[in-house]
Amino acid sequence: MSKLSQEETLELLNTLESRFTENVERHSDVVWSDVLERIQIDQDKLTTLALMEETGGEPDVIRLPKGDLAYCDCSAETPSGRRSLCYDEPALEARKKNKPAGSAVALSEQMGITLLDEETYRHLQTLGAFDLKTSSWIQTPDTIRQKGGALFCDRRYDHIFVYHNGADSYYAARGFRGMITI
């Protein structure tokens, strides 16, 4: 995506501010003016936030477990524009038939976001109920990935589950959530 126009930037900032104001429980110790200052400095971050928004992520500010601030996908379900993807490029290339359009890892890199790891996914679930009908790929340890697997999470029965699947699998209800630190 190219640089945002002034009108696109203003529209994005208005959307982000509205979401920030409507969801104070996600960031009760954060002030909008501080967030605005952090994201306006870096045009690349604004472009990334626009991509997160465009693909259905509904990005909002959260404080990470170690104290950093990040914009994270806070859509109720895994972002609709980032579903039906296998885990990574090696899995995509290994798939012989019915290849998906792409992979979660490659798309996250193109967008400038990081896939959530298990700790961050579980932390996000303390801020709301996410992925009640969908699931999200998460960062997978090399020891699992080297054996052909990948991890994904969801929330069912008011519990957060971590599962495994072949990295080359893909489903209409599985996508990925990402974040960008600010």
Side-chain angles (χ1 to χ4, degrees):
M1 181 179 216
S2 59
K3 184 177 176 180
L4 301 175
S5 70
Q6 189 172 357
E7 183 178 316
E8 290 169 327
T9 299
L10 185 58
E11 184 178 333
L12 174 63
L13 292 174
N14 286 336
T15 298
L16 295 173
E17 182 179 15
S18 292
R19 188 172 295 125
F20 181 91
T21 304
E22 292 167 9
N23 297 285
V24 176
E25 68 282 358
R26 294 179 188 156
H27 41 252
S28 59
D29 65 334
V30 182
V31 178
W32 172 249
S33 59
D34 293 341
V35 171
L36 184 60
E37 183 178 320
R38 289 178 186 217
I39 61 176
Q40 281 184 314
I41 286 173
D42 189 342
Q43 182 63 42
D44 289 341
K45 285 188 178 173
L46 286 173
T47 300
T48 295
L49 287 165
L51 288 168
M52 291 173 78
E53 188 68 34
E54 183 180 305
T55 56
E58 300 178 20
D60 198 9
V61 175
I62 66 168
R63 188 165 298 282
L64 298 173
K66 293 180 178 147
D68 294 334
L69 287 180
Y71 261 99
C72 185
D73 290 312
C74 290
S75 54
E77 303 299 337
T78 196
S80 59
R82 294 186 243 146
R83 296 182 190 171
S84 296
L85 302 168
C86 64
Y87 180 72
D88 61 11
E89 288 303 295
L92 180 63
E93 290 177 23
R95 194 164 176 101
K96 302 297 180 208
K97 293 193 248 180
N98 303 317
K99 288 188 177 200
S103 77
V105 170
L107 184 55
S108 69
E109 289 171 357
Q110 289 170 6
M111 293 175 66
I113 59 178
T114 304
L115 250 62
L116 301 186
D117 59 17
E118 183 179 348
E119 178 186 29
T120 306
Y121 187 89
R122 288 183 181 281
H123 175 68
L124 177 65
Q125 291 286 357
T126 67
L127 304 175
F130 302 98
D131 287 334
L132 299 177
K133 298 175 187 172
T134 58
S135 61
S136 296
W137 289 114
I138 61 169
Q139 289 181 30
T140 299
D142 288 340
T143 54
I144 294 172
R145 187 61 200 94
Q146 290 168 356
K147 294 177 180 174
L151 300 178
F152 66 96
C153 297
D154 63 24
R155 182 181 188 134
R156 304 290 192 272
Y157 312 107
D158 204 27
H159 187 82
I160 292 77
F161 290 93
V162 178
Y163 307 91
H164 63 88
N165 209 208
D168 65 343
S169 67
Y170 68 98
Y171 300 94
R174 183 174 308 148
F176 72 93
R177 292 177 181 278
M179 66 172 204
I180 182 171
T181 57
I182 55 168

